[in-house]
Amino acid sequence: MTVGEMLVATVPMARTLNLEFLETTAERAVVRLPDQAEYHNHVGGPHAGAMFTLAESASGAIVIAAFGDQMSRAVPLAVKAEIGYKKLAMGEVTATATLGRPIAEVVAQLDAGERPEFPVAIEIRRADGAVTGEMTVVWTLRPNG
């Protein structure tokens, strides 16, 4: 099962919004929100809440892809998120997430008995390539036990 398939199977909001996980690697995650009238806002584009969920889902996908081998000893948790809406989003939108710290550095903190935090940066784009939003989610790996 791919990271995207696992998230669709286990995260109800990913299924509800019909998110499409296009790429999920430790270097980058790309997730698309199809244009769906039932999730539009008052101006006919995707609702801000749907775009937040899209971006947060992309961040979760890259975290699982990058740190999936650590899941037996730590749980990934979102600590905080900040989003900025830059331009009007219309039609389908795509979120691209990238890690803000090297994987080895985060794992080294976990190995040292610490609870590492690391940012994930996400860009949300329209089909024409225009950036409609930017989000940062800070994640942690909470050690088990």
Side-chain angles (χ1 to χ4, degrees):
M1 184 179 282
T2 67
V3 170
E5 290 168 342
M6 189 262 307
L7 288 171
V8 168
T10 61
V11 179
M13 279 302 293
R15 284 192 310 278
T16 297
L17 291 177
N18 300 306
L19 297 182
E20 300 168 3
F21 291 81
L22 306 178
E23 180 182 339
T24 53
T25 68
E27 289 76 38
R28 173 176 117 125
V30 181
V31 183
R32 181 173 40 226
L33 173 66
D35 186 24
Q36 301 166 91
E38 61 270 31
Y39 303 115
H40 282 179
N41 58 20
H42 62 290
V43 293
H47 189 278
M51 289 192 296
F52 183 99
T53 301
L54 167 70
E56 193 275 342
S57 297
S59 77
I62 197 169
V63 168
I64 291 170
F67 301 107
D69 61 341
Q70 303 301 316
M71 299 290 194
S72 63
R73 65 182 185 140
V75 176
L77 298 169
V79 174
K80 63 183 172 180
E82 184 174 335
I83 191 165
Y85 301 101
K86 306 294 183 187
K87 291 186 180 214
L88 184 62
M90 298 298 282
E92 74 175 33
V93 289
T94 303
T96 301
T98 55
L99 285 177
R101 286 182 61 200
I103 295 168
E105 189 178 287
V106 174
V107 172
Q109 271 192 279
L110 190 60
D111 290 343
E114 299 174 26
R115 183 175 169 166
E117 289 190 0
F118 52 94
V120 175
I122 307 101
E123 279 192 341
I124 304 168
R125 294 182 180 270
R126 296 187 305 226
D128 67 3
V131 175
T132 63
E134 295 173 335
M135 183 172 179
T136 300
V137 180
V138 175
W139 286 82
T140 188
L141 295 179
R142 185 191 74 203
N144 296 336

